[in-house]
C-alpha cells in the first residue's frame, strides 16, 4: 500500500481561482466546476487538479505513463511493476505499455487500490473521449488507430472553491513511503489537429441529418444525435482568460478547463452532468431541448413556451431519460431509481434547456469506474438504443468525435466520481480551434432547423475565442429626450405604474411648474366617461392649456375619440368578455410615426374597442391589432394622439414595445408644435386609416 498524507490550508478564493487558471494555461491541469445554483440539483463549486505526479495518455492500444519529478517516477515504477517486461518499454523517460497485455482500466484501478486511506480529493482527473465505453469491453481490444481516448492525471495538489467563492482551500498530498527517483522529466506525446476545415459546407449537416431521420422513420432507432465540427484559425489564444469570460457571462452546471499537455488545451461550458456519485447516491441530469434566449423577459417567456410546447423536444428528453434510468439500474440498488424532476426549464445566459433529474442508491459492489462507464455515451449525445445509435453515428458523421460527447472526469480514490459531458467546448491546438456541436433527432425532426441549432451552439465559443462575451447583443431602446409633462390622473388603479412608464420614456413631472413651461399633457387611463376629457381641444380642461399637445391612454383615449367637437360619437364595440391582462399582436402602419416598431405585442385592459373605420374625421390610425382594432392614432391638426393599450403592462415589455410607443407618440406630438393648430376638418377631408 502507498501511504498518503493530506495537508490543507485556507486561501483567498479569487486569488486561488486566478492562480489556478494561470497554472492550467501554462501547464498540465484540470478544472472541473459548476457555476450555477439550483437547490437540490446544482451547487456552485470548483475542483482544480494541479502539479500532476503522473499523467496517463491512452493512444489507441498504447498507454503512455508520463511521470513528473522524482516522486512521479517512483509512483510510475510502483504502479507498473506488475506489467510484463515484454509489454512495456521506456521511451524518452515515459513508460509505454501495450494494453492488449495489461488493459489501461486494470492499471488505473490498481493504482487507486494501492492508495492507503485516500482523501476524497485524491484521484484521477482528466478527459475521456466519446468512445471510452470501449474500455469496459474486454472481449474486443481497443482499435490500434493511435486515437487519444484518455488523458488522466494524478495530482500533487488540489484546490477547492465552494459556494461560489465563499470558501477556498488548498489540499496537498505527500507520500512518505516513496523515495524520489532520479531522472529527467518526460515530455507528453504531442497532440494533433489533422483536419483544418469544417466537416460540412453549408447545408451539408442538414443532408446528414436527413439520412439520420430516414433511419428513424424506418424504425431502426428511437432517437439519434448527430454533430458537426467547425474549425477556425485563432492564433495565440489565452485560454485561461477565455474560460474566465465564459464563467462570468455563460455559467453552466458543467464547466471545465483542461491543459492535457502536448500542446492541447480545452475549455467549455456544458449543460449536461453525465453522472456524479458519492458513497450513497448516483445522480444524473440529462438535458434535451434547446432554444435561444430572448432579448428580454417577455422574449424568454415566449421562447420557453415554444420549447415546452414542442412535442419533438418532449419526446427527445423522454427517450434520453428512459435510457438514463436503464444505465442507472445497472449500478444502483434494485428498486431505488427515482425521477426527482421532469423537464424542468433552466435559463442559462444564451440558451434555454429542459432538464430531468434522476437518482438511485449506489450498490456496494461497484466502483467509480463502474459508475462512469455505465453512463458512457448517454442517449443525450448518441440516441437510443445506444449501440445502434453509435453505429449510425459512425456511418453518417464524417469524422471521429474525439473528445466531443466524452467526459471531463474525476475518478476518486475514495470511490466518488463525477463526469461532465463534454459539450459546448473549444479544443485548441497549434493556433487552431475546433468546436463541435450537435442535436437530438426524432423521426419528425427538421434537418434545416437542426443545422441552424448546431450553428447557434457554436456561436458562443467563437465569440469567446474572438475576445468577446458569449452573450449575443441584446435589444436596446435608445434613451429618449427629457420632456416636461403634465400628467392628469383619470382615476387609474395603476396610475403609479403609468407614471413610471412615462418617466422611463423621458417624461419629467413638475406639478409646481407654470402651464406655459409644460410641453405635453398626458391623460391617464380611466373609465369611458372620464371627466379628464371635457372637450377635444382642451378648452375646458382644468389646466387651461387650450393648445397643449395631448396624449390620452387606453380607455381615456377612447373617451377622447368619442368626444370630438361637432362630430357624432365614434362607434365602439363592447368586448365580451372584457380583456384584462391579455396580449395583443399589433402591426404599425409603414408610413406612420410608429413604423419602426413593425410588428409588436402590447398588454390590453379593455372593455371596448374601436375599429379604424370608426375613427373621427381628421384622425389617422398608426397601429392596429390583429383583430382590426385601433391601437394608436393621432390627429396632427389638433396635436392629439391616443394609445389604446397599457404601455406600462409587463405584457408590453417585449422588445421594449411599451416604451418605444410612448417615445414615438410623444415625439410626434412635439414635432407637431411647429405646425399651428387649426380648426377641425370636414368629414370629406377625413384621412384614410390605411
Amino acid at each position: 500500500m502507498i501511504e498518503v498524507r493530506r495537508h490543507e490550508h485556507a486561501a483567498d478564493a479569487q486569488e486561488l481561482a486566478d492562480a489556478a487558471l494561470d497554472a492550467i494555461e501554462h501547464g498540465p491541469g484540470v478544472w472541473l466546476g459548476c457555476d450555477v445554483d439550483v437547490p437540490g440539483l446544482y451547487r456552485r463549486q470548483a475542483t482544480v487538479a494541479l502539479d500532476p505526479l503522473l499523467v496517463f495518455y491512452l493512444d489507441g492500444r498504447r498507454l503512455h505513463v508520463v511521470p513528473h519529478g522524482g516522486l512521479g517516477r517512483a509512483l510510475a515504477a510502483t504502479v507498473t511493476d506488475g506489467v510484463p517486461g515484454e509489454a512495456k518499454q521506456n521511451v524518452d523517460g515515459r513508460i509505454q505499455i501495450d494494453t492488449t497485455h495489461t488493459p489501461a482500466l486494470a492499471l488505473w484501478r490498481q493504482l487507486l487500490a494501492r492508495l492507503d486511506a485516500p482523501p476524497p480529493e485524491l484521484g484521477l482527473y482528466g478527459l475521456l473521449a466519446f468512445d471510452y465505453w470501449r474500455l469496459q469491453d474486454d472481449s474486443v481490444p481497443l482499435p490500434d488507430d493511435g486515437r487519444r481516448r484518455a488523458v488522466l492525471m494524478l495530482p500533487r495538489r488540489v484546490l477547492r472553491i465552494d459556494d461560489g467563492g465563499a470558501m477556498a482551500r488548498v489540499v496537498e498530498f505527500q507520500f512518505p513511503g516513496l523515495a524520489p527517483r532520479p531522472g529527467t522529466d518526460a515530455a507528453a506525446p504531442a497532440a494533433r489537429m489533422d483536419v483544418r476545415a469544417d466537416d460540412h459546407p453549408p447545408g451539408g449537416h442538414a443532408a446528414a441529418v436527413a439520412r439520420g431521420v430516414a433511419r428513424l422513420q424506418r424504425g431502426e432507432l428511437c432517437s439519434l444525435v448527430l454533430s458537426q465540427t467547425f474549425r477556425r484559425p485563432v492564433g495565440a489564444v489565452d485560454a485561461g482568460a477565455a474560460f474566465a469570460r465564459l464563467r462570468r457571462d455563460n455559467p453552466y452546471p458543467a464547466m471545465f478547463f483542461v491543459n492535457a499537455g502536448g500542446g492541447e488545451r480545452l475549455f467549455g461550458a456544458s449543460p449536461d452532468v453525465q453522472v456524479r456519485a458519492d458513497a450513497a447516491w448516483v445522480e444524473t441530469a440529462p438535458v434535451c431541448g434547446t432554444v435561444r434566449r430572448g432579448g428580454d423577459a417577455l422574449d424568454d417567456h415566449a421562447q420557453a413556451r415554444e420549447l415546452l410546447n414542442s412535442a419533438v423536444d418532449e419526446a427527445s428528453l423522454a427517450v434520453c431519460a428512459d435510457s438514463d434510468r436503464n444505465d442507472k439500474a445497472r449500478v444502483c440498488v434494485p428498486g431505488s431509481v427515482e425521477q426527482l424532476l421532469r423537464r424542468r426549464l433552466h435559463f442559462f445566459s444564451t440558451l434555454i434547456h429542459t432538464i430531468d433529474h434522476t437518482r438511485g442508491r449506489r450498490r456496494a459492489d461497484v466502483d467509480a469506474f463502474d459508475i462512469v462507464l455505465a453512463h458512457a455515451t448517454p442517449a443525450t449525445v448518441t440516441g437510443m438504443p445506444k449501440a445502434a445509435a453509435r453505429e449510425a453515428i459512425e456511418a453518417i458523421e464524417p469524422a471521429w468525435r474525439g473528445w466531443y460527447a466524452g467526459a471531463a472526469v474525476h475518478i476518486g480514490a475514495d470511490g466518488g466520481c463525477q463526469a461532465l459531458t463534454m459539450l459546448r467546448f473549444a479544443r485548441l491546438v497549434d493556433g487552431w480551434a475546433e468546436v463541435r456541436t450537435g442535436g437530438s433527432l426524432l423521426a419528425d425532426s427538421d434537418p434545416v432547423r437542426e443545422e441552424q441549432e448546431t450553428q447557434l451552439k457554436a456561436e458562443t465559443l467563437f465569440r469567446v475565442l474572438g475576445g468577446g462575451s458569449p452573450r449575443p447583443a441584446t435589444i436596446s431602446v435608445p434613451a429618449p429626450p427629457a420632456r416636461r409633462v403634465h400628467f392628469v390622473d383619470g382615476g387609474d388603479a395603476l396610475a403609479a405604474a403609468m407614471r413610471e412608464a412615462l418617466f422611463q420614456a423621458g417624461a419629467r413631472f413638475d406639478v409646481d411648474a407654470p402651464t406655459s413651461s409644460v410641453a405635453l399633457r398626458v391623460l391617464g387611463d380611466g373609465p369611458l366617461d372620464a371627466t379628464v376629457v371635457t372637450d377635444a381641444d382642451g378648452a375646458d380642461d382644468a389646466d387651461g392649456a387650450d393648445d397643449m399637445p395631448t396624449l390620452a391612454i387606453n380607455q381615456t383615449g377612447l373617451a377622447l375619440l368619442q368626444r370630438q367637437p361637432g362630430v357624432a360619437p365614434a362607434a365602439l364595440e363592447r368586448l365580451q368578455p372584457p380583456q384584462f391582462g391579455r396580449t395583443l399582436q399589433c402591426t404599425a402602419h409603414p408610413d406612420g410615426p410608429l413604423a419602426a416598431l413593425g410588428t409588436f405585442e402590447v398588454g390590453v385592459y379593455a372593455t371596448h374597442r374601436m375599429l379604424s373605420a370608426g375613427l373621427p374625421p381628421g384622425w389617422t390610425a398608426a397601429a392596429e391589432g390583429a383583430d382590426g382594432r385601433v391601437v394608436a392614432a393621432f390627429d396632427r391638426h389638433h396635436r392629439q394622439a391616443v394609445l389604446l393599450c397599457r404601455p406600462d403592462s409587463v405584457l408590453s415589455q417585449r422588445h421594449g414595445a411599451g416604451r418605444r410607443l410612448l417615445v414615438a407618440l410623444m415625439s410626434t406630438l412635439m414635432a407637431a408644435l411647429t405646425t399651428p393648430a387649426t380648426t377641425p376638418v370636414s368629414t370629406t377631408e377625413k384621412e384614410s386609416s390605411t
Side-chain angles (χ1 to χ4, degrees):
M1 299 297 288
I2 301 173
E3 182 184 358
V4 183
R5 291 181 182 175
R6 177 183 184 276
H7 298 272
E8 175 185 325
H9 65 269
D12 179 83
Q14 188 58 56
E15 290 180 2
L16 197 64
D18 292 344
L21 294 179
D22 185 67
I24 299 174
E25 175 68 16
H26 295 98
V30 177
W31 175 302
L32 303 177
C34 172
D35 280 322
V36 297
D37 279 309
V38 177
L41 181 58
Y42 303 126
R43 181 173 62 86
R44 291 182 66 197
Q45 55 80 32
T47 303
V48 187
L50 297 175
D51 303 335
L53 296 165
L54 295 176
V55 185
F56 298 91
Y57 297 90
L58 181 59
D59 296 344
R61 296 179 187 172
R62 292 172 177 78
L63 179 66
H64 304 274
V65 184
V66 180
H68 290 259
L71 192 56
R73 285 186 285 275
L75 277 169
T78 301
V79 76
T80 61
D81 60 3
V83 179
E86 66 274 13
K88 65 180 178 181
Q89 58 180 317
N90 192 298
V91 179
D92 298 326
R94 61 179 182 261
I95 302 172
Q96 184 172 293
I97 298 172
D98 184 348
T99 59
T100 57
H101 296 83
T102 304
L105 188 57
L107 197 68
W108 295 330
R109 279 182 162 139
Q110 177 183 312
L111 168 62
L112 298 183
R114 288 190 178 186
L115 300 174
D116 187 20
E121 298 90 353
L122 187 57
L124 295 171
Y125 294 78
L127 306 172
L128 298 175
F130 167 69
D131 57 351
Y132 75 86
W133 61 273
R134 296 179 185 274
L135 296 173
Q136 67 182 338
D137 191 348
D138 296 333
S139 63
V140 180
L142 286 167
D144 193 18
D145 54 12
R147 290 173 172 171
R148 183 157 296 172
R149 290 187 171 83
V151 176
L152 294 175
M153 306 177 189
L154 182 74
R156 183 197 303 267
R157 186 164 55 110
V158 171
L159 316 181
R160 291 298 305 269
I161 305 170
D162 294 317
D163 297 327
M167 297 182 294
R169 61 189 188 273
V170 179
V171 180
E172 297 180 342
F173 310 111
Q174 294 180 351
F175 305 86
L178 289 178
R181 291 197 173 193
T184 58
D185 283 352
R192 305 191 310 270
M193 187 177 292
D194 297 327
V195 178
R196 301 198 173 186
D198 292 349
D199 280 353
H200 293 292
H205 182 66
V209 168
R211 294 196 295 274
V213 168
R215 291 186 177 220
L216 292 162
Q217 291 175 343
R218 292 195 295 268
E220 298 174 16
L221 298 159
C222 301
S223 65
L224 177 64
V225 178
L226 293 180
S227 62
Q228 65 169 325
T229 303
F230 305 88
R231 299 178 182 88
R232 303 286 184 271
V234 293
V237 171
D238 186 333
F243 181 61
R245 288 195 297 275
L246 204 61
R247 291 189 64 218
R248 181 194 67 203
D249 292 344
N250 196 41
Y252 262 86
M255 309 291 294
F256 50 91
F257 177 29
V258 179
N259 186 330
E264 181 178 29
R265 294 166 298 160
L266 307 96
F267 68 90
S270 171
D272 195 287
V273 177
Q274 196 166 114
V275 67
R276 65 189 180 201
D278 56 19
W281 296 99
V282 179
E283 291 183 283
T284 50
V287 178
C288 198
T290 303
V291 69
R292 186 193 293 269
R293 285 290 299 266
D296 51 42
L298 274 292
D299 246 0
D300 277 350
H301 170 69
Q303 295 287 82
R305 183 171 55 192
E306 179 181 342
L307 177 58
L308 281 181
N309 289 339
S310 169
V312 171
D313 287 314
E314 182 176 11
S316 293
L317 185 55
V319 170
C320 293
D322 288 340
S323 176
D324 174 68
R325 292 165 65 86
N326 182 73
D327 295 340
K328 207 161 276 73
R330 297 162 58 193
V331 293
C332 291
V333 174
S336 70
V337 178
E338 58 181 329
Q339 192 79 24
L340 300 178
L341 293 174
R342 170 61 185 158
R343 212 160 178 244
R344 180 170 177 170
L345 279 171
H346 287 265
F347 292 77
F348 300 109
S349 63
T350 60
L351 299 172
I352 306 171
H353 295 297
T354 48
I355 300 178
D356 278 9
H357 183 199
T358 309
R359 74 175 181 180
R361 290 196 174 274
R362 176 178 182 160
R363 284 204 336 247
D365 60 337
V366 299
D367 67 7
F369 280 109
D370 290 325
I371 293 170
V372 171
L373 286 166
H375 292 83
T377 59
T380 52
V381 296
T382 53
M384 258 283 285
K386 291 202 291 185
R390 291 194 298 256
E391 292 176 1
I393 288 167
E394 188 171 354
I396 295 174
E397 291 187 351
W400 182 58
R401 286 187 167 187
W403 302 123
Y404 174 76
V409 299
H410 167 218
I411 307 294
D414 68 338
C417 62
Q418 69 170 319
L420 310 180
T421 308
M422 293 187 64
L423 304 172
R424 322 284 171 76
F425 71 96
R427 175 178 181 252
L428 303 173
V429 177
D430 294 334
W432 279 73
E434 64 179 20
V435 175
R436 191 175 188 121
T437 58
S440 183
L441 312 176
L442 293 179
D444 51 354
S445 292
D446 178 356
V448 173
R449 180 176 179 266
E450 294 299 328
E451 177 166 311
Q452 292 170 345
E453 183 175 319
T454 63
Q455 295 166 343
L456 165 63
K457 292 173 180 176
E459 285 176 10
T460 297
L461 271 302
F462 285 118
R463 279 197 296 269
V464 172
L465 287 166
S469 168
R471 295 177 177 174
T474 58
I475 298 169
S476 61
V477 179
R483 297 186 177 90
R484 301 287 296 278
V485 170
H486 176 58
F487 180 74
V488 183
D489 186 354
D492 180 14
L494 301 175
M498 187 65 240
R499 289 175 65 92
E500 173 67 14
L502 285 163
F503 192 90
Q504 293 183 11
R508 298 296 179 263
F509 310 106
D510 188 350
V511 296
D512 297 326
T515 301
S516 59
S517 69
V518 177
L520 181 69
R521 173 176 47 206
V522 176
L523 305 182
D525 197 3
L528 279 176
D529 60 352
T531 57
V532 296
V533 181
T534 60
D535 193 293
D537 62 3
D540 297 328
D541 200 74
D543 62 18
D546 291 3
D547 298 323
M548 184 183 297
T550 298
L551 171 62
I553 304 296
N554 205 34
Q555 299 275 90
T556 300
L558 287 177
L560 178 64
L561 291 172
Q562 280 205 305
R563 301 185 191 183
Q564 295 296 293
V567 179
L572 301 182
E573 292 186 8
R574 178 178 291 276
L575 294 169
Q576 293 291 351
Q579 297 175 350
F580 300 112
R582 299 305 177 98
T583 299
L584 179 66
Q585 297 288 330
C586 307
T587 302
H589 286 210
D591 56 350
L594 307 181
L597 275 79
T599 58
F600 58 94
E601 293 178 0
V602 293
V604 294
Y605 284 69
T607 59
H608 294 73
R609 69 177 181 179
M610 176 182 289
L611 301 181
S612 58
L615 282 172
W619 283 81
T620 301
E624 295 178 1
D627 60 356
R629 78 177 72 180
V630 175
V631 172
F634 61 95
D635 176 359
R636 291 187 185 276
H637 298 288
H638 293 91
R639 300 194 290 266
Q640 296 179 1
V642 295
L643 186 53
L644 308 181
C645 64
R646 291 294 310 215
D648 55 325
S649 171
V650 65
L651 301 176
S652 300
Q653 291 180 5
R654 191 175 187 189
H655 298 181
R659 181 181 174 194
R660 295 168 69 195
L661 282 166
L662 288 172
V663 170
L665 287 174
M666 288 195 295
S667 298
T668 298
L669 290 170
M670 296 302 295
L673 284 174
T674 60
T675 304
T678 64
T679 56
V681 294
S682 67
T683 55
T684 58
E685 297 174 301
K686 180 179 176 180
E687 298 181 31
S688 169
S689 63
T690 59

